[in-house]
Amino acid sequence: MLSIDRSIVDAIVAHARRDHPDEACGVVAGPAGSDTPTRHIPMENAARSMTFYEFDSMEQLRVWREMDDRDEEPVVIYHSHTATEAYPSRTDVSFAGEPGAHYLLISTREPDTEEIRSFRIVDGVVTEEPVRVVDAAVDQHAVQSYMFGQSPATVDYECSGR
Amino acid sequence: MAIEVRIPTILRSYTGGAKVVEGTGDTLSDLLTDLDSRHGGLKARLVTDAGSLHRFVNVYVNDEDVRFLGALDAKLNDGDSVTILPAVAGGAFGFAAAAAIAQQKVASAAPGRASTAR
């Protein structure tokens, strides 16, 4: 499961909306080993494409070094799909090179709602996981869960065990 | 002559978990061959069967992307630091389609010239 603060989700969605119809991409760093995303780093999409994204290699080197210096790791790697569902494409799977990261996908194909889903991608195997959005700013204990296939405004299909 | 090489998480299974290893070589290609002699399998993850640097990794010599330094022919010196990172890329389209679009862009950016593989 990915637990992530609502303010970070909001910032990611804002980034995806801003770059729409091009794909947006970025990282949320967190303390190494904590599995907690804390520092949102929007990245340039060097491909500037509606169907492809690619970190600029020099920006990536700088950001990865900075994380190393701060004893952080890429807890979340996100990108948007702007005309299709928030599910990893074959290209996404081929490139997935951070086995410890949560791969977060945001679909901005609907103008009013976003589909937000998270995946682990290890050795070419995609495993979807629930996303738990934590409302730290309002109430530490108030939690809204987006389970598999759900987005904030719509439920695509039910997930058992809730 | 030693060159420090920083290994990303995904490739540390080849280095016994080590984050930094050392190797020698006059070029990046030589260095990877040297590393492969102690960390068998590592080179195959970085170099394609056709003998070019893999699309899925970024390799840097000091602060430069080796793609701008001659890729596998990039010259190395004692004390250089080599960093390997997984390239972060993807997107809604299949890779073949994305590559075709990239080629189209190259072709349209250089009108009158046939597009050539990069």
Side-chain angles (χ1 to χ4, degrees):
Chain A
M1 180 167 73
L2 168 66
S3 288
I4 184 166
D5 196 88
R6 180 176 303 280
S7 62
I8 296 173
V9 173
D10 289 348
I12 290 172
V13 167
H15 179 205
R17 284 289 174 204
R18 197 161 63 236
D19 286 8
H20 185 93
D22 282 353
E23 294 195 2
C25 55
V27 173
V28 189
S34 71
D35 201 31
T36 304
T38 53
R39 191 164 66 92
H40 175 216
I41 310 162
M43 304 283 286
E44 281 289 320
N45 177 1
R48 293 186 184 282
S49 161
M50 296 188 281
T51 53
F52 193 66
Y53 81 96
E54 183 171 30
F55 284 8
D56 173 79
S57 66
M58 295 315 295
E59 183 181 27
Q60 188 189 350
L61 178 65
R62 186 173 53 72
V63 167
W64 255 245
R65 279 213 179 129
E66 192 178 73
M67 284 193 283
D68 227 27
D69 291 346
R70 298 166 61 123
D71 205 17
E72 290 174 336
E73 59 191 4
V75 179
V76 171
I77 294 176
Y78 72 87
H79 76 280
S80 62
H81 284 177
T82 57
T84 55
E85 66 172 334
Y87 192 87
S89 68
R90 263 200 254 174
T91 316
D92 294 333
V93 176
S94 328
F95 272 97
E98 291 286 356
H102 301 267
Y103 283 88
L104 192 74
L105 277 90
I106 306 101
S107 174
T108 54
R109 67 177 162 181
E110 301 294 337
D112 303 323
T113 60
E114 295 83 25
E115 188 190 16
I116 300 164
R117 296 165 73 178
S118 182
F119 305 85
R120 295 287 193 168
I121 308 176
V122 180
D123 294 332
V125 179
V126 177
T127 311
E128 185 162 11
E129 59 181 0
V131 178
R132 180 168 165 268
V133 177
V134 184
D135 243 329
V138 180
D139 178 356
Q140 288 264 334
H141 305 288
V143 160
Q144 181 173 353
S145 294
Y146 300 147
M147 304 301 281
F148 299 97
Q150 291 185 354
S151 58
T154 59
V155 180
D156 296 317
Y157 52 86
E158 291 294 328
C159 184
S160 60
R162 288 191 68 201
Chain B
M1 167 157 160
I3 295 156
E4 179 192 87
V5 185
R6 303 184 77 82
I7 305 289
T9 312
I10 195 164
L11 297 178
R12 286 180 201 157
S13 53
Y14 297 95
T15 60
K19 196 173 169 177
V20 179
V21 297
E22 285 200 344
T24 60
D26 292 333
T27 64
L28 179 60
S29 185
D30 292 346
L31 173 71
L32 296 182
T33 302
D34 175 58
L35 291 178
D36 203 64
S37 68
R38 289 183 303 284
H39 310 292
L42 184 63
K43 189 175 182 178
R45 294 293 301 270
L46 303 172
V47 178
T48 65
D49 292 342
S52 58
L53 197 59
H54 220 298
R55 183 76 179 79
F56 303 126
V57 290
N58 292 334
V59 181
Y60 308 86
V61 175
N62 302 322
D63 290 333
E64 295 271 5
D65 187 329
V66 294
R67 288 190 176 90
F68 303 113
L69 299 173
L72 288 168
D73 297 327
K75 295 277 179 287
L76 299 176
N77 293 300
D78 194 13
D80 277 346
S81 171
V82 170
T83 302
I84 303 169
L85 292 181
V88 183
F93 254 25
F95 189 41
I101 287 168
Q103 278 229 328
Q104 250 179 10
K105 273 188 193 163
V106 170
S108 62
R113 285 181 53 192
S115 67
T116 50
R118 291 171 65 202

